[in-house]
Amino acid sequence: MDMDDMDFSKAPPSFQEVRWISTILLTTLASGWLVCYIATIAKAFRDRACWMPIIPLSCNLSWELVFVFLYPPPRLPIVTFWLSLNLWVVFVAVKFASGSNKQSAVFSNGALQRGAFFVLATIFWGAGHVALISQVGPLTAFYYGGLCCQIMTSSAALDKLLKAGHTAGASYTIWISRVIGTSSALLGVYFRAYYWPEVWAWASNPLMYWTTAAFIILDGLYGVAFWNIRRSEKQQQKRHATKKN
């Protein structure tokens, strides 16, 4: 299976009748992650901190680079827009990785070291995505690789939130938009597997079910943790305000 199988104009009549549902899910997928990237960049500059851990971000960037320049899908503009914004996410993630408000230079020595590490990590993950493509084909690797990035992001973001104990650099908008984006991607794959099994039947397997469950559990726990920490921060702010008065 190659990337041309994402050209839905070639789908059978049974799929064409409900193709509008797939189009909605694809639009929601694209919009969800675009909102997530924009909100991440804005929040990072506001709080001088970024919720996105560097390791999964390097994996995600390498996935976008591979599928923009080596194996572009028919809907290239979607992945290209993601890549364009994700480069800004990389900038703020590297610059504000420590969450320090004292970093005033565009690139401190620490940021330069993190940047160099990020480049090496991106090359490493890029080789992994290419190796996966050689084993399962570009279409399947497009989704498996993307889900791998998502699981890494969900688990690392949850770990970072719990260790930090604060929500600086993160927001409900960021969390909800990424949940909507990935949920739409998963629903779209299962939808196409049902209505176009000749090409998409591969998606109905235990590994896809496991990654779906992992995403739901990890990002569900993230939402609960974020709500508890944000509530605690608001209570602390109220106490400080009361003391001042």
Side-chain angles (χ1 to χ4, degrees):
M1 292 179 288
D2 55 34
M3 300 307 286
D4 288 339
D5 290 325
M6 292 186 70
D7 184 356
F8 300 148
S9 64
K10 300 178 181 179
S14 59
F15 180 84
Q16 298 296 348
E17 294 177 358
V18 292
R19 181 177 168 182
W20 62 273
I21 298 177
S22 180
T23 300
I24 290 175
L25 291 172
L26 282 170
T27 302
T28 307
L29 158 64
S31 302
W33 275 99
L34 287 175
V35 170
C36 179
Y37 287 157
I38 293 170
T40 295
I41 296 165
K43 187 66 172 174
F45 279 111
R46 188 179 304 121
D47 293 355
R48 300 189 69 77
C50 184
W51 71 274
M52 179 65 115
I54 286 181
I55 292 297
L57 178 57
S58 64
C59 185
N60 189 50
L61 181 69
S62 66
W63 178 86
E64 292 170 348
L65 288 170
V66 167
F67 287 103
V68 165
F69 295 107
L70 298 181
Y71 299 92
R75 292 168 182 79
L76 177 61
I78 294 177
V79 185
T80 304
F81 288 151
W82 286 342
L83 175 60
S84 300
L85 283 174
N86 206 13
L87 292 174
W88 280 99
V89 176
V90 170
F91 174 81
V92 297
V94 171
K95 178 174 172 59
F96 302 123
S98 65
S100 172
N101 291 324
K102 296 180 181 180
Q103 288 180 290
S104 57
V106 174
F107 285 112
S108 64
N109 289 333
L112 287 173
Q113 293 173 355
R114 290 191 295 272
F117 173 78
F118 183 88
V119 170
L120 293 175
T122 301
I123 295 172
F124 173 79
W125 294 121
H129 287 303
V130 172
L132 180 61
I133 290 169
S134 70
Q135 290 296 307
V136 301
L139 176 63
T140 307
F142 182 83
Y143 285 94
Y144 280 148
L147 285 172
C148 175
C149 295
Q150 176 61 65
I151 299 305
M152 289 177 62
T153 299
S154 298
S155 56
L158 176 60
D159 178 68
K160 185 175 182 178
L161 178 67
L162 294 175
K163 286 181 177 178
H166 62 74
T167 62
S171 70
Y172 281 117
T173 299
I174 294 171
W175 171 62
I176 293 172
S177 60
R178 79 170 186 258
V179 168
I180 290 175
T182 299
S183 297
S184 299
L186 289 167
L187 288 173
V189 171
Y190 292 134
F191 177 83
R192 291 188 285 279
Y194 182 81
Y195 283 99
W196 193 3
E198 296 85 356
V199 171
W200 295 85
W202 60 267
S204 299
N205 67 76
L207 180 58
M208 283 293 296
Y209 301 149
W210 179 87
T211 54
T212 299
F215 160 67
I216 293 172
I217 292 170
L218 290 169
D219 257 296
L221 289 173
Y222 183 95
V224 173
F226 187 92
W227 178 79
N228 276 312
I229 294 173
R230 176 58 63 85
R231 183 181 60 171
S232 177
E233 290 174 338
K234 289 182 177 180
Q235 291 174 347
Q236 291 178 0
Q237 291 173 357
K238 288 181 179 179
R239 286 195 292 268
H240 289 319
T242 302
K243 289 180 180 179
K244 289 181 179 180
N245 294 332

